Each structure stands twice: as structure tokens, then as C-alpha cells.
Amino acid sequence: MTVNTFDPSQTTTLSAPQKALADQNDDTGMPLSHRIGFISLGCPKNLVDSERILTELRTEGYQVVPSYNDADLVIVNTCGFIDSAVQESLEAIGEALNENGKVIVTGCLGAKENQIREVHPKVLEITGPHSYEQVLSHVHHYVPKPEHNQFTSLTPAQGVKLTPRHYAYLKISEGCDHRCTFCIIPSMRGDLDSRPIGAVLDEARRLKDAGVKELLVISQDTSAYGADVKHRTGFWNGQPVKTSMVDLCEQLATLGIWVRLHYVYPYPHVDTVIPLMAAGKILPYLDIPLQHASPKILKLMKRPGAVERTLERIKRWREICPELTLRSTFIVGFPGETEEDFQMLLDFLTEAQLDRVGCFKFSPVDGAAANDLPDPVPEAVKEDRYHRFMQLQQEISARRLQAKVGRELKVLIDEVDEEGAIGRSMADAPEIDGAVYLNGEKRVNVGDLVTVRIEHADEYDLWGSLI
């Protein structure tokens, strides 16, 4: 039940792809050749793009190396969502150029080629997000495809994954049809483009067969899945399946592993997934970015503004599924936000009693419509409101976590070291939520699903013992 700020430094570095490949037993004993360095920045959606590029590189016989010096070429998959992410991407490109000299850029910031070339004119090639074929074509130009023996260097059926073996992100669509005034994602990634449901479910099954214990369903707008194709019927396992979030969840539930929903826009049909959670088919966890609670500010954001209806729905969801964990994100200091508007947000937090909350201080993003709105909020006021917001949510978080003391929870183990084991409950998504600590416990392995009695809690995390 943590309060998080956006942290664009939660990235995948050059060493992570090499570690992932090593974990998948790619030690052929062959000398390194046709070597590619890889830097992946930004959100899990970008991480999935990186995984796909690395899978294609691996299929063609390229090696991924963990240092600039060993690489024949470096690919930087960038983030460009907010200014701090843009700056981090530009710094990563600059470091790769200084250390290696041969750099290809892709990802969200790649949609703004002029901005990159103004700072780094020596970049070899630039492509936008999910431009897999273009990236591979550029790689072929600068580092020709190796002679590749598919029988001695195999690509795993699930592809290259940059997450631990026991969980994986499942991206179900690209783009977004909304035009929120603070966001430039549609200009970077385009309108909604849903993947065929059969392909999504095939990938999910391959991941499960490879040992994945938790699937994290992601997209720009998960609840809109299939809207662009009018929820047409596809096929999987010889059976008709509708291209929709609810039907997708029903089928994923048959795999018998954890399924967690992220980035769910609050359409009315979201109500229909709550009974699936109550029945134990998918995790009782819903990530809904609400952004604010003032009708005026929501209108300026071009977001749904029926706050009272949202509170009613939250109450009804919890009546149907008492174990439901709700995560959301909010923006403070949006242009035009008065003290009255901000107090509405605090009042909403108090009534909604959300479990997980991320907080952003508004900052102008190049190309966002919100930049032109009147009445910008001074930085000092933004900072003050941010801290007041955090203090209130921490108090809520602490109370909700304290209520779990004495309970028995299922915990998925993420790490075991000399101090003990660290895992996550059903209420904890990796990297963005809290953890469950089992101090001194070394009888478990990464990926184990165990039962833990909770003995202590703070504002963010839980501590317990193995049962």
C-alpha cells in the first residue's frame, strides 16, 4: 500500500539482457561475434518491445553483450513520456555514443527524431516505438547477419524475457484512442491496435509452459482491448473467443497461474471482471489511473468526471470482492488546479481508501495540449500539495496494511539472499508495490508460491513467517 512517484530510472540496463540470456542456458561455448549491446528505458510496455527485438536478434544468431566495449553496435530503446524520461533517454544515448560510437535509437522518443539529432547528430538510425522490422533492418546494415546454426543456438519458445523466469508482461495492444491533454502517447504510438486474441493466448500459454507463475497484462488501455476490431470473434484451442478484456481474462484463468490487470481505463464494463476476481479466476487487483477527483480538472484533462459514480463503483466492487486491491495514479498541480480542487482530491482519497497510489507533479511535456492551458500552478505550490497528498495516502496505506497482520497470505517469492526471502502477495505488483519479507527464511526458492503468516507491517511492506 505504497505511495509512489514516477521514477524513470527503473530501467533495464546493458547487463540485464545478457543475464536473461544466460539464465536461459545460451552458453554454447562459441566465441562472441556479431555483438549487440542493448539499453531499455521506461515502462513495462517498452520492456516488452525490447524483449521482442532481443528475441529477433537471438533468433538470427546475434549475441547480446553486457558492456559497451564488447559491442559492435548499441541499441537504445527510449522513453519520452515526461521531461525527466526524455532527459534520461538523451543521457543514455550520449553515454552509448561516448563509450561505443555506433548507436541505433528506437522507442517513444524516437518519434521525435529532430529532438534527438539536435543533441546527438552522430546517432546512426532512429525509429519510433514498436518498429521491430526497421530496427532489425538497421542492425543488418551495420552488423550483417551472422552465419547461424539454429541447432546449436536455440531461441526459447517463450522468446527472450528481461524479467525473472517466474513472471512476465503480456502486452495485448498498442496505442490509445484517448486524447488526455497531459499525454502524448497517441502521437508516439498511434491509435488503439489490439493483437489477435489467439496470438495473445498462445503467448500466454508458452509463458506458462516455460515456468511463468504470474502474467501481468499491460497495454495503454487494457479495458479497451478489442474495441478497434469491434470485439470480433477469434479462435483459440479450436473454440471461438471474443476479442475483449473479459473473454481474455476468462481464458487466461484456465492457465492456473496469477493474472494481474494493469492500466485499466474505468469503462462501465470493468464491472464485469470483478466477479472473476471474486471467484479466484484472476487476481483481485485492479490498476485504474484515475488522475484526479475534481470534475473541473478532470474535464480539463479530458478524463471521465463522474467522481461520485466512481466512489459508488468502488464500494460495489469491494462488496462483490472484499479482497480487491485498488491501485491508481494521480496528478497534482495540473494547470487551473485551485486549493478547492486539490481538497476534492484529498477528500476522494479519504473516502476511496485506495491501497496503492502513485503521485505525479504535473510537468509540461513537449506536444501535450495541457501546456497551453491557463493558470499554471507555481512549483512551490505543486511541491506542497504533493507532500500533503503523500502524507494522507501513507496514513491510509499504513492502516490498510496493519489490518493484514495476523492473516495468512499467498506469497510469490522474488528473491532469496543471505538475509532471507522477499516475495509479493496478490496485492503486490513487481517493482511498483510493496513486498513481503521473510527474514532468515532460506528454505524457499525464487518462483515458489508459499503461505505466509503476517506478523508486522509498516506504511509500505509486510513481514511474516512461512507456514
Side-chain angles (χ1 to χ4, degrees), residues 149-165:
N149 186 334
Q150 61 179 331
F151 298 106
T152 60
S153 182
L154 301 176
T155 302
Q158 75 275 17
V160 174
K161 292 297 171 186
L162 302 182
T163 50
R165 285 187 178 186

Side-chain angles (χ1 to χ4, degrees), residues 67-348:
S67 70
Y68 293 115
N69 293 337
D70 292 330
D72 299 312
L73 177 75
V74 176
I75 300 171
V76 182
N77 190 7
T78 59
C79 178
F81 182 58
I82 61 175
D83 287 348
S84 59
V86 170
Q87 185 60 37
E88 186 198 24
S89 292
L90 291 173
E91 290 174 358
I93 295 167
E95 180 180 291
L97 284 169
N98 290 335
E99 297 292 333
N100 182 276
K102 297 179 69 176
V103 177
I104 289 174
V105 174
T106 188
C108 288
L109 187 59
K112 300 180 178 181
E113 180 170 353
N114 291 340
Q115 185 175 358
I116 295 173
R117 292 211 179 275
E118 183 177 344
V119 181
H120 300 303
K122 294 183 179 180
V123 167
L124 297 177
E125 304 286 353
I126 299 174
T127 66
H130 52 89
S131 302
Y132 316 112
E133 293 181 0
Q134 285 181 278
V135 172
L136 268 292
S137 177
H138 293 324
V139 172
H140 298 158
H141 177 73
Y142 295 101
V143 185
K145 292 171 68 171
E147 293 183 8
H148 178 47
N149 186 334
Q150 61 179 331
F151 298 106
T152 60
S153 182
L154 301 176
T155 302
Q158 75 275 17
V160 174
K161 292 297 171 186
L162 302 182
T163 50
R165 285 187 178 186
H166 61 287
Y167 71 83
Y169 294 101
L170 181 68
K171 186 158 69 169
I172 62 175
S173 65
E174 292 285 356
C176 182
D177 286 342
H178 298 291
R179 296 297 183 264
C180 302
T181 58
F182 54 82
C183 181
I184 57 173
I185 291 298
S187 66
M188 293 179 174
R189 292 184 172 263
D191 292 335
L192 179 68
D193 182 12
S194 299
R195 294 178 60 195
I197 193 162
V200 173
L201 291 170
D202 281 342
E203 180 181 352
R205 182 163 53 190
R206 288 194 300 271
L207 291 168
K208 187 255 186 181
D209 291 344
V212 166
K213 303 288 184 64
E214 177 183 9
L215 288 175
L216 299 109
V217 178
I218 59 169
S219 67
Q220 298 298 333
D221 181 3
T222 294
S223 48
Y225 176 62
D228 55 316
V229 295
K230 299 182 179 179
H231 302 295
R232 68 185 173 207
T233 298
F235 290 88
W236 188 60
N237 280 349
Q239 299 293 323
V241 184
K242 191 177 179 181
T243 308
S244 71
M245 179 179 68
V246 178
D247 285 56
L248 175 66
C249 289
E250 287 274 14
Q251 295 302 319
L252 291 175
T254 66
L255 299 176
I257 58 179
W258 283 9
V259 176
R260 190 183 301 275
L261 300 181
H262 284 286
Y263 316 123
V264 179
Y265 200 86
Y267 297 120
H269 71 256
V270 172
D271 296 355
T272 60
V273 304
I274 306 301
L276 301 182
M277 297 176 178
K281 292 185 175 183
I282 61 175
L283 291 184
Y285 181 102
L286 205 53
D287 181 353
I288 297 186
L290 296 172
Q291 307 301 358
H292 213 280
S294 161
K296 181 191 82 176
I297 298 301
L298 288 169
K299 185 176 181 179
L300 290 172
M301 292 178 169
K302 291 191 175 178
R303 299 284 297 184
V307 177
E308 288 302 319
R309 192 177 305 164
T310 299
L311 288 169
E312 291 172 5
R313 292 174 74 193
I314 289 173
K315 181 180 178 182
R316 186 165 64 250
W317 292 344
R318 285 176 167 154
E319 289 172 352
I320 297 170
C321 183
E323 295 298 313
L324 179 64
T325 295
L326 291 173
R327 156 170 277 281
S328 191
T329 52
F330 296 89
I331 297 173
V332 297
F334 193 80
E337 183 190 65
T338 65
E339 181 63 26
E340 181 182 3
D341 295 317
F342 178 66
Q343 187 60 50
M344 289 183 185
L345 177 55
L346 297 184
D347 292 343
F348 178 87

Side-chain angles (χ1 to χ4, degrees), residues 19-30:
K19 181 179 184 297
L21 292 173
D23 286 346
Q24 296 175 48
N25 301 316
D26 190 37
D27 185 7
T28 64
M30 300 293 290

Side-chain angles (χ1 to χ4, degrees), residues 423-445:
R424 292 176 292 109
S425 73
M426 292 183 181
D428 305 305
E431 297 189 355
I432 59 173
D433 291 331
V436 181
Y437 292 91
L438 285 72
N439 292 346
E441 181 58 68
K442 300 181 181 180
R443 296 171 294 171
V444 296
N445 298 308

